Amino acid sequence: QKEVEQDPGPLSVPEGAIVSLNCTYSNSAFQYFMWYRQYSRKGPELLMYTYSSGNKEDGRFTAQVDKSSKYISLFIRDSQPSDSATYLCAQSHPFGNEKLTFGTGTRLTIIP
Amino acid sequence: NAGVTQTPKFQVLKTGQSMTLQCAQDMNHNSMYWYRQDPGMGLRLIYYSASEGTTDKGEVPNGYNVSRLNKREFSLRLESAAPSQTSVYFCASSEADSEDLGNTEAFFGQGTRLTVV
């Protein structure tokens, strides 16, 4: 079983819609959960991170972690064509090890 | 404001040829990484270096070698390229928050698109 599972999509939604992207993970020791955004032919860039359980909001983006179900979500409100990208969830390993484990990524297209 | 720089950006190799992918970062980070990205597989860690002079295998190290030349540079070498190594390769660097070691942001280069024919 992969440590991080993510539906690869692709996912297409109309502009202005609410987007929900999800991951599940298997290692309950993970504490930090991140979302990276990757535009076509570019390297990934950190979008948001959360620690442990709960929600974190940044503008139109909300990251949510449910440790009881090992479920991570990213919500995008009022989606824009510029949000079209691949979104990768990631976890950093515990105990000071900086290695990141990534999901497969979900390709998202926002249709104008 | 270069960040992480990878060279080359594109490369075509014949099976059996060797090459070295170069990576340099100017953020004074201790940790550096090499990932490969394949459709449906996501980013998979090839090798990792926690500091100058140390390297560790990641998830898919077979067929690769690495050198952490100094704090800035981390190279990836393919000794005898195979078609299965056709991929996009990303170098990354990071520095954990000293007071919160799990809080890590990785900075990625633009990638090297490698095709082995």
Side-chain angles (χ1 to χ4, degrees), chain A residues 99, chain B residues 34 44-48 56-62:
Chain A
K99 287 190 285 187
Chain B
W34 276 105
R44 292 183 292 169
L45 183 64
I46 305 172
Y47 269 95
Y48 160 67
D56 288 305
K57 293 179 180 179
E59 182 184 355
V60 288
N62 291 345

Side-chain angles (χ1 to χ4, degrees), chain A residues 2 8 32 34 36 38 40-46 49 51 86 88 92-93 95-105, chain B residues 10 31 33 35 37 40-43 45 48 56-57 59 90 94-96 100-110 113:
Chain A
K2 286 179 67 70
Y32 281 90
M34 301 158 187
Y36 280 77
Q38 184 178 22
S40 180
R41 296 186 174 267
K42 300 289 187 184
E45 293 180 313
L46 181 66
Y49 79 90
Y51 173 72
T86 296
L88 302 108
S92 65
H93 287 239
F95 313 123
N97 184 330
E98 296 176 57
K99 287 190 285 187
L100 295 174
T101 299
F102 286 88
T104 54
Chain B
F10 302 94
S31 297
Y33 316 79
Y35 288 90
Q37 187 173 35
M41 303 295 290
L43 282 162
L45 183 64
Y48 160 67
D56 288 305
K57 293 179 180 179
E59 182 184 355
F90 287 99
S94 70
E95 189 74 26
D100 193 1
L101 294 178
N103 183 3
T104 298
E105 177 178 358
F107 294 83
F108 286 82
Q110 296 278 49
R113 293 182 174 273

Side-chain angles (χ1 to χ4, degrees), chain B:
Chain B
N1 197 15
V4 179
T5 303
Q6 291 182 236
T7 55
K9 289 186 169 52
F10 302 94
Q11 184 72 48
V12 179
L13 289 178
K14 294 182 179 178
T15 297
Q17 285 186 317
S18 62
M19 79 162 295
T20 299
L21 281 65
Q22 306 286 354
C23 175
Q25 52 93 8
D26 62 2
M27 295 171 282
N28 202 36
H29 288 166
N30 279 308
S31 297
M32 297 187 73
Y33 316 79
W34 276 105
Y35 288 90
R36 60 177 289 174
Q37 187 173 35
D38 303 290
M41 303 295 290
L43 282 162
R44 292 183 292 169
L45 183 64
I46 305 172
Y47 269 95
Y48 160 67
S49 172
S51 62
E52 181 180 350
T54 67
T55 60
D56 288 305
K57 293 179 180 179
E59 182 184 355
V60 288
N62 291 345
Y64 305 95
N65 286 302
V66 290
S67 294
R68 184 72 182 269
L69 305 170
N70 47 55
K71 192 171 185 179
R72 288 188 67 247
E73 297 172 291
F74 189 36
S75 62
L76 178 72
R77 182 160 178 84
L78 286 71
E79 291 290 353
S80 179
S84 60
Q85 294 178 305
T86 294
S87 187
V88 181
Y89 291 85
F90 287 99
C91 177
S93 71
S94 70
E95 189 74 26
D97 186 324
S98 59
E99 296 183 0
D100 193 1
L101 294 178
N103 183 3
T104 298
E105 177 178 358
F107 294 83
F108 286 82
Q110 296 278 49
T112 296
R113 293 182 174 273
L114 175 67
T115 301
V116 182
V117 298

